């Protein structure tokens, strides 16, 4: 399993946002300083107040609205699922497509930023491309 820890300025707003895009809150690992938001069986996001975050590090919390240290990419079952989660993020107050849409035929990705500016990139890859490898699949698609 992977636990992604993110500092947030408004815990209630962030819980509502992550629930709107399909995550569920695990109350066993949530309190008034943070919440465990379950994205999948293997991906959990710990959204933490700045005070809680500061108990883990003395490094400055960057403003993710103006700088990017990472983007968090995860796979979806279809192109339509990518579009659906991005639409949900936009409806919940997230920024849609903070980076260019990636459409390579066999691979499709979009993005959204949560209310604190953390960038998420849902993507889909054709199962044939996964099995063959992207370069082989692209060559087949080009007729080579």
């Amino acid at each position: 399993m992977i636990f992604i820890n993110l500092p947030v300025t408004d815990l209630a707003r962030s819980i509502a946002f992550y629930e709107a895009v399909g995550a569920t809150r695990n109350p066993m690992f949530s309190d008034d300083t943070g919440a465990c938001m379950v994205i999948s069986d293997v991906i959990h996001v710990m959204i933490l107040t700045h005070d809680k975050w500061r108990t883990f590090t003395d490094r400055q919390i960057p403003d993710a609205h103006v700088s990017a240290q990472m983007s968090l990419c995860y796979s979806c079952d279809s192109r339509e699922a990518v579009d659906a989660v991005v639409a949900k993020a936009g409806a919940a107050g997230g920024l849609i497509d903070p980076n260019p849409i990636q459409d390579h035929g066999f691979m499709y990705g979009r993005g959204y930023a949560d209310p604190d500016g953390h960038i998420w990139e849902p993507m889909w890859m054709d199962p044939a491309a996964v099995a063959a490898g992207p370069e082989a699949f692209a060559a087949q698609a080009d007729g080579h």
Side-chain angles (χ1 to χ4, degrees), residues 39-116:
I39 304 289
S40 73
D41 290 341
V42 295
I43 302 172
H44 298 74
V45 180
M46 297 298 298
I47 50 176
L48 307 168
T49 64
H50 283 204
D51 287 342
K52 181 68 170 187
W53 177 267
R54 287 185 187 102
T55 67
F56 296 106
T57 183
D58 58 1
R59 291 185 175 203
Q60 181 179 3
I61 299 171
D63 180 351
H65 293 288
V66 297
S67 64
Q69 186 175 14
M70 70 175 137
S71 64
L72 303 159
C73 183
Y74 63 94
S75 62
C76 293
D77 292 335
S78 66
R79 294 171 69 98
E80 295 79 15
V82 170
D83 289 339
V85 73
V86 170
K88 288 177 185 176
L95 174 64
I96 295 176
D97 297 320
N99 296 322
I101 295 172
Q102 301 292 314
D103 190 349
H104 304 287
F106 68 93
M107 185 174 74
Y108 176 70
R110 294 187 60 192
Y112 61 86
D114 72 9
D116 287 279

